[in-house]
Amino acid sequence: MDFQLTDDQEALKAGVRELLTARFGHAELRAAADGGPPALDRALWRELGEAGFFALRLPEADGGVGLGLPEAVLAFEEAGRVLLPGPLIATHLAAGVVDGAATGEAVVAAVDGVHVEWLDQADAVRGDAAGAQPLRSVDPLTPLHRVPAAGVPLEADPEAVLLTSLLTAAEQLGGAARTCELAVQHARARKQFGQPIGAFQAVQHLCARMLVRVEVARAAVYAAAVTADPADVAAARLLADEAAVRGARDCLQVHGGMGFTWESDVHLHLKRAWIRTQRAGGTTECEEMLADDLLAGAG
Amino acid sequence: MDLACTPEEEDFRARLREWLAQALPSLPPKPSSDDWPGRRAYDLGWQRMLYDAGYAGLHWPVDAGGRGATPTQHLIYLEETEKAGAPYVGANFVGLLHAGPTIASEGSAEQRARWLPPVLRGEEVWCQGFSEPGAGSDLAALRTRAWRHGDDYVVSGSKIWTSHAEVADWCELLVRTDPTAPKHRGISWLAMPMDAPGITVRPLRTLAGSAEFAEVFLDEVRIPVAHRVGAENDGWRVTMVTLSYERGTAFVGEVVACRRVLGELAREARKNGRWDDAVLRRRLGRLNAEFRALWRLTQWNVSAAQRTGGVPGAGGSVFKLRYSHARQELYDAAAELLGPEALDLGRDWTLDRLSSLSYTIAAGTSQIQRNIVAERILGLPKGR
């Protein structure tokens, strides 16, 4: 057993991080968040396509990269770190199904529960979005529509729900790790009472709790990527959702008054984490599924 | 990233399973928890069986008499023995997991030859003389003092929360040999024979009502200088060599056990009708996520240790923090499930609930573990 990243996986993760930091760094994030109604950066979308972000799991014979779920999870973790906007999971899952999705030529949205992310900017929509009404989305970088009818196609496709849930967990993991870093950076730099606030035990313990949640979620998410077992995915999703939402809230707390301002990035992490918790395979379903799993004796 | 075991590892698992299946039925009945001599005999008997079968000191280095197994093999061992319902390491815990590895790593050839084989063969029991009334999680504040008199140290002071003290042959004792040095320095690691004159052991009752540990009073106890492991005043470093074990793989079997208990809770809930309570059901579902993740974190840490050839480091604090709280939540859920019966000390789950309260305190409180995570992993400035 060697449950650690391989050299290739380390390289892939580093490569995705490098690409995203260069193309969607702090300045781009702020420009997107502060620039009025959200619009997708099509050039960036195509670059992601060229880099293989969407075709990562598509077989090489079909023009894909031919990698597996663990690699996809590592890529989505990096996307989550930088709050990369757009219907990333829907387009990734459409690679090989919707023309242009694999290369990033097409933006594909999906009906997920009662919501569709990025409907107005999408070239194709999976599921029935008839009668969808726009919401004033809490996240400035995730436009949302609400779909009136029940009987949503995504829920009829267990494979799509499973993958959406796992890749969402990967994004949450990335966000959680990032907010932990932001909190620690701030706690080192910010001085009060004549010393860095990170020297105060109360602040130290907030940060330590954040790291513990991240590391537990990381083990669960990576394991779920390896096994693709529904109970593993449910566990990963629950712990990653928790790590992201509570991590962003604790990060905001560590930032004090600054954390409550629009200028700080912390609220963007919290709002995105909230949006992601609402995706398919959310809290209630995961808990019920894992409860049933106990009776199945597999616990 | 791979969770599958190699063919060699699977072969190891298969042979272990086979041996457990034929060995376990020959064990004598388990003694009651208050019968310390009985518990010692039972635990050492089990150790002897492991020794005879070649499973003693699995994770110890070969030159210390161990098997030099990989961390993954050790993980498999802990998983399979728990699943098969084999006894815990019990009274031999300190010898196998603390004192033994410390002597193996830091002791002289004579010291290794004297102390290691009896631990592996199940002939001698060790206890741990670290904590003091004034030095628990702040271990470096210990005050038990050792003066040098010729070839002996003369030791006076007291130790507390010492498990197995009543039946131990040896004590791994931390003493202050230089009171003028900064508190982490000036400490030495001694092997103290428990039958030396001047030692008084007084059992302490835990909040669960049983005498699980003891106070040990030391009144001018003479310990040969030759029983010091490592250099004089270097005991803190010597101790840190092995303390990380306790925060790393020491809980592997327990995580497996907690997952089994969780399954029992679910089946009990279905029997007594509480399964229809969505709040309780979802709580059990979330605990399933928790213990699954803790198992994955264990596999992650073990693989990391296997790659570096080392022992779990400060990352063990991450595991211990989460596990100790999860264990308490597990038995709180059991109490909710039991309802009025949760107040009955005749129920195993009630006793387990009480004993789970020690997990956020023993081997460094959760607060100390968070300091370790904040300062050593996250690199935050040292607190006041």
Side-chain angles (χ1 to χ4, degrees), chain A residues 9-295:
Chain A
Q9 286 167 341
E10 293 276 10
L12 174 97
K13 199 168 193 282
V16 176
R17 181 173 298 193
E18 203 178 319
L19 168 79
L20 292 180
T21 325
R23 277 299 272 112
F24 197 74
H26 178 73
E28 289 82 4
L29 173 67
R30 291 311 312 197
D34 301 336
L40 261 188
D41 181 345
R42 290 284 182 152
L44 172 56
W45 206 255
R46 278 191 294 273
E47 274 181 61
L48 289 171
E50 278 164 34
F53 192 90
F54 301 118
L56 200 65
R57 291 183 308 114
L58 201 61
E60 287 179 78
D62 300 331
V65 187
L67 292 172
L69 264 185
E71 287 76 19
V73 156
L74 296 175
F76 275 85
E77 180 187 345
E78 294 303 318
R81 266 183 77 84
V82 299
L83 292 172
L84 189 65
L88 295 160
I89 295 175
T91 304
H92 177 93
L93 294 182
V97 179
V98 175
D99 279 350
T103 57
E105 290 301 318
V107 173
V108 184
V111 179
D112 182 351
V114 292
H115 291 125
V116 193
E117 299 178 16
W118 291 95
L119 181 62
D120 284 343
Q121 309 263 324
D123 302 309
V125 187
R126 302 187 74 192
D128 182 5
Q133 293 295 318
L135 296 181
R136 275 189 65 203
S137 172
V138 64
D139 176 11
L141 289 174
T142 311
L144 284 178
H145 278 70
R146 197 179 162 84
V147 182
V152 178
L154 189 60
E155 285 166 3
D157 180 355
E159 179 77 1
V161 172
L162 190 77
L163 293 176
T164 299
S165 195
L166 176 61
L167 296 177
T168 295
E171 287 188 323
Q172 294 286 49
L173 170 63
R178 183 64 188 142
T179 50
C180 182
E181 287 170 16
L182 290 173
V184 169
Q185 276 171 20
H186 186 77
R188 279 198 196 123
R190 171 73 171 168
K191 285 197 174 144
Q192 295 272 269
F193 306 102
Q195 61 178 332
I197 60 170
F200 292 109
Q201 199 174 52
V203 176
Q204 289 191 338
H205 285 195
L206 267 179
C207 294
R209 285 169 184 270
M210 292 170 82
L211 183 82
V212 169
R213 288 192 297 260
V214 168
E215 293 305 317
V216 173
R218 181 182 305 284
V221 171
Y222 288 0
V226 171
T227 67
D229 173 74
D232 278 340
V233 171
R237 178 68 187 280
L238 278 178
L239 295 172
D241 276 354
E242 178 196 40
V245 171
R246 291 192 57 192
R249 292 182 68 147
D250 286 351
C251 182
L252 198 152
Q253 180 69 23
V254 169
H255 278 75
M258 293 179 204
F260 195 66
T261 65
W262 186 267
E263 281 71 28
S264 161
D265 292 346
V266 183
H267 68 103
L268 299 175
H269 277 282
L270 178 57
K271 291 164 179 174
R272 189 72 65 88
W274 279 341
I275 296 258
R276 295 183 192 123
T277 61
Q278 294 294 316
R279 293 194 191 140
T283 306
T284 309
E285 290 150 270
C286 288
E287 286 174 350
E288 289 285 4
M289 193 271 179
L290 285 162
D292 288 344
D293 173 66
L294 288 173
L295 284 183

Side-chain angles (χ1 to χ4, degrees), chain B residues 269-285:
Chain B
R270 199 168 53 171
K271 244 194 307 185
N272 76 6
R274 296 297 306 279
W275 195 249
D276 297 333
D277 176 347
V279 175
L280 180 68
R281 197 172 62 231
R282 288 180 56 184
R283 188 171 170 187
L284 296 179

Side-chain angles (χ1 to χ4, degrees), chain B residues 118-133:
Chain B
V119 170
L120 292 177
R121 288 196 299 257
E123 291 164 3
E124 289 182 349
V125 167
W126 285 70
C127 63
Q128 188 182 67
F130 287 7
S131 295
E132 297 184 7

Side-chain angles (χ1 to χ4, degrees), chain B residues 70-231:
Chain B
T70 63
T72 298
Q73 282 176 327
H74 190 212
L75 186 71
I76 291 170
Y77 169 82
L78 293 166
E79 189 183 2
E80 292 299 327
T81 47
E82 168 56 37
K83 278 185 179 164
Y88 280 120
V89 48
N92 219 17
F93 178 85
V94 173
L96 274 175
L97 286 153
H98 282 263
T102 303
I103 294 164
S105 153
E106 304 291 326
S108 67
E110 295 78 39
Q111 290 173 335
R112 289 153 63 111
R114 166 63 190 88
W115 285 312
L116 298 183
V119 170
L120 292 177
R121 288 196 299 257
E123 291 164 3
E124 289 182 349
V125 167
W126 285 70
C127 63
Q128 188 182 67
F130 287 7
S131 295
E132 297 184 7
S137 288
D138 183 12
L139 186 55
L142 65 88
R143 289 208 306 264
T144 291
R145 184 79 171 85
W147 289 267
R148 197 125 167 203
H149 280 267
D151 291 338
D152 288 340
Y153 287 107
V154 177
V155 180
S156 287
S158 69
K159 295 289 173 177
I160 196 167
W161 306 306
T162 311
S163 304
H164 319 306
E166 290 162 89
V167 293
D169 305 290
W170 294 93
C171 176
E172 52 167 348
L173 191 72
L174 287 183
V175 294
R176 190 160 294 286
T177 33
D178 181 358
T180 63
K183 67 178 194 173
H184 289 81
R185 300 184 194 122
I187 292 173
S188 299
W189 195 107
L190 305 179
M192 176 174 76
M194 288 299 285
D195 58 359
I199 300 176
T200 308
V201 175
R202 200 181 80 188
L204 268 179
R205 259 153 64 94
T206 71
L207 53 71
S210 58
E212 283 298 312
F213 44 37
E215 285 180 284
V216 180
F217 300 95
L218 308 170
D219 181 17
E220 298 193 357
V221 179
R222 294 187 87 88
I223 303 173
V225 172
H227 284 196
R228 190 190 67 231
V229 172

